[in-house]
Amino acid sequence: QVQLVETGGGLVQPGGSLRLSCAASGRTFSSYAMGWFRQVPGKERVFVAAISGIGTSTLYADSVKGRFTVSRDKAGNTLYLQMNSLKPEDTGVYYCAASSKLRWYSNNDGAYDYWGQGTQVTVSS
């Protein structure tokens, strides 16, 4: 059974940093795209960042470029999201996603087959 488990969320002041982790089990995703999405109550899930299964190419939403960094470990089954200079608008539940077929990154949530349960990030003073 495939599982994605996110950790690292929490409450942080504006300007602070958090590092999210997503541990995959049940199969390997080292050659496939993985990504992060965010959702707030009453709104659709939105793309945050993704990493390709080919090399280390990455894609970011314009709102997080220069502040967030997506990466994965050498084995390819743990995904990270380093979030710096956090803003209140970064608040939401962050979901990890993985594709079983897509090699290149995507900002489309329909491209991903597996999802974690989410971790809450709250940026507030």
Side-chain angles (χ1 to χ4, degrees):
Q1 181 181 359
V2 175
Q3 277 193 312
L4 301 178
V5 179
E6 302 99 334
T7 56
L11 173 64
V12 63
Q13 291 187 340
S17 297
L18 281 175
R19 189 191 196 205
L20 305 184
S21 298
C22 170
S25 61
R27 64 160 288 169
T28 180
F29 294 101
S30 58
S31 298
Y32 298 94
M34 297 184 75
W36 291 96
F37 290 77
R38 178 178 67 234
Q39 189 169 26
V40 298
K43 294 191 176 181
E44 291 187 355
R45 188 164 53 193
V46 298
F47 170 74
V48 175
I51 189 165
S52 172
I54 305 170
T56 56
S57 296
T58 55
L59 178 68
Y60 296 95
D62 287 344
S63 61
V64 306
K65 278 181 184 176
R67 300 188 298 121
F68 290 12
T69 303
V70 61
S71 61
R72 65 204 305 173
D73 68 351
K74 288 185 178 180
N77 260 28
T78 301
L79 184 70
Y80 302 101
L81 185 67
Q82 178 67 43
M83 305 187 293
N84 298 329
S85 302
L86 282 161
K87 304 176 181 180
E89 50 264 43
D90 296 321
T91 294
V93 178
Y94 282 72
Y95 295 92
C96 169
S99 174
S100 63
K101 301 177 290 292
L102 190 67
R103 301 279 187 169
W104 200 246
Y105 50 60
S106 174
N107 59 2
N108 182 351
D109 61 359
Y112 298 92
D113 308 291
Y114 301 100
W115 293 84
Q117 83 289 349
T119 185
Q120 176 71 44
V121 171
T122 303
V123 184
S124 175
S125 55

